[in-house]
Amino acid sequence: MKRLRLLAATFCLAAFPALAEPLEITDIAGRRVTVERPVERFVISEGRYIPLLALLRPDHPVEGLVGMMTTLGWTQPELEQQLYVRFPEARDIPLFGHRNADSVSVERIIDLDPQVAIFGLGDHGPGAENAELIAQLEAAGIAVLFIDFRLDPLNNTLPSVELIGRVLGEETRAAAYTDFYRARRQAVLDKVATAPSRPSVFLQVHPGRRECCWGMADGMLGPFVELAGGRNIADGTAPGPTTQHTAEFLIVEDPDVWIGTASGTREEYERGDPPVAVGPGMTAETGRDSLRRYLSQPEFASLGAVRNGRAHVVWHNFYNSPFNIVVLEAFAAWLHPELMADTDPQATLERIFEAFLPFEVDGTYFATAHRD
């Protein structure tokens, strides 16, 4: 009899699959969207959102991911190798584009039959301004959602994590991370609120990869400078997120603190290539040496920040990552070392990986040049 009841229950589950639950949400672009949960098939634009999926579903991060525009390996090849070892099915996820919105095939996305397409505001994939693409996907019954860790990460990071947490039914995991993030952020704000001054800062993008001197100000990680208790000297002259400034601008302004977003790789460092490198495969010593080589150029020699040991770099890819809380901690620690002596952004990053991700931290993601 017990066996019969079990068979009957199994039959009922097979005959009556989980009912769709409509979820009304507002995405980060301000669009009202209805998603039918459970979401069992979805696509993402950039593979760099896979760490977000891993944060929300560490035991099965790519389950239901039926397509993406780019691989994770485009921006994080070392993490992609960890992904393939732990979750080999990730190797088989189809691609529907390359490295920009123009390469995206709407037909290919529709063929993949997702319920939801998750794109980023201002990333390399389709944006909210791609009305025709959005209309084609919606006409095919695919809900389109926008998240954002790049355009305005200061305000959009936590709503983006919470949004995808709701869509995937992982609200508890999302809340655990956002609670952690909020607590870390508040701890920084409480400390810098007592700072007696706001040091001037130049935040330079891709040192060594781009010619001098692209500053980041109104957008991306630029606003993190202000929140960390600094004054971004590019704010008054830069009309957008990034603008190129002359070396003379940098010399005349002579910021108290210089910070670069390093996009170099270990391989580039070992070849002696110009881009400053921290991150996967880099140690604290090699990161410092990479920064030292770059700052040895004449335009930096006279900067007070360089001579006083207040020149630093942070891993560039944090500019489009849910883990950008470590950037805020690093900036605050560099701007106000007397208030932030117990703050270690590398340790915070390692704690994030240990508590929330099925991967291990590889490398050192921050570096400071030695004082003369």
Side-chain angles (χ1 to χ4, degrees), residues 20-338:
E21 172 197 3
L23 175 67
E24 300 282 343
I25 51 178
T26 301
D27 73 1
I28 304 303
R31 304 165 59 254
R32 292 291 296 171
V33 181
T34 300
V35 173
E36 298 289 342
R37 293 199 309 181
V39 173
E40 297 174 337
R41 296 178 64 83
F42 63 98
V43 298
I44 59 177
S45 51
E46 295 194 35
R48 74 172 89 209
Y49 298 133
I50 287 178
L52 169 64
L53 302 178
L55 183 155
L56 296 171
R57 308 185 304 176
D59 295 329
H60 48 94
V62 296
E63 183 178 284
L65 179 59
V66 297
M68 53 188 174
M69 185 185 78
T70 62
T71 65
L72 175 61
W74 178 32
T75 54
Q76 296 178 254
E78 294 81 4
L79 192 63
E80 184 181 65
Q81 289 308 307
Q82 291 195 49
L83 174 72
Y84 287 166
V85 170
R86 290 289 310 276
F87 309 99
E89 65 274 22
R91 293 180 180 275
D92 301 323
I93 298 171
L95 301 180
F96 55 78
H98 301 291
R99 296 184 177 183
N100 56 63
D102 292 339
S103 70
V104 169
S105 168
V106 177
E107 294 78 11
R108 178 64 171 146
I109 296 177
I110 294 173
D111 286 345
L112 293 170
D113 193 27
Q115 297 163 267
V116 178
I118 301 169
F119 299 145
L121 281 181
D123 69 8
H124 295 270
E129 73 279 6
N130 292 99
E132 183 177 352
L133 179 143
I134 294 170
Q136 289 175 307
L137 294 178
E138 290 178 337
I142 301 167
V144 179
L145 293 175
F146 287 93
I147 58 176
D148 178 42
F149 301 107
R150 180 178 185 271
L151 208 59
D152 185 8
L154 194 61
N155 294 305
N156 290 339
T157 293
L158 296 184
S160 294
V161 173
E162 291 165 344
L163 177 69
I164 301 306
R166 292 186 67 193
V167 168
L168 297 181
E170 299 290 351
E171 292 94 335
T172 301
R173 289 284 303 181
Y177 181 70
T178 55
D179 287 349
F180 169 83
Y181 188 114
R182 286 191 177 95
R184 305 295 300 189
R185 181 173 62 186
Q186 192 58 50
V188 170
L189 298 183
D190 289 345
K191 291 177 181 176
V192 301
T194 65
S197 63
R198 302 180 71 87
S200 59
V201 180
F202 186 70
L203 180 57
Q204 183 171 329
V205 184
H206 295 295
R209 187 172 302 286
R210 290 186 179 179
E211 60 182 334
C212 189
C213 305
W214 282 87
M216 189 180 280
D218 184 17
M220 301 182 182
L221 297 178
F224 283 60
V225 171
E226 300 292 331
L227 199 65
R231 180 171 56 83
N232 193 328
I233 63 172
D235 260 343
T237 58
T242 61
T243 300
Q244 186 175 17
H245 303 268
T246 64
E248 289 74 20
F249 168 82
L250 195 57
I251 293 170
V252 170
E253 292 291 331
D254 195 19
D256 298 317
V257 179
W258 178 94
I259 301 173
T261 66
S263 59
T265 65
R266 181 187 62 184
E267 291 74 19
E268 289 174 317
Y269 166 75
E270 291 174 346
R271 289 197 302 265
D273 293 348
V276 181
V278 289
M282 296 294 288
T283 66
E285 181 179 351
T286 58
R288 278 196 301 271
D289 185 59
S290 177
L291 177 57
R292 177 195 59 77
R293 292 193 318 208
Y294 178 73
L295 295 176
S296 66
Q297 299 178 83
E299 57 264 42
F300 294 100
S302 65
L303 294 184
V306 175
R307 290 186 281 105
N308 297 326
R310 304 194 74 182
H312 318 270
V313 285
V314 61
W315 189 52
H316 178 78
N317 280 317
F318 286 134
Y319 93 112
N320 190 354
S321 163
F323 312 130
N324 55 47
I325 184 62
V326 298
V327 175
L328 180 63
E329 289 193 351
F331 285 8
W334 293 334
L335 298 181
H336 302 288
E338 72 284 1

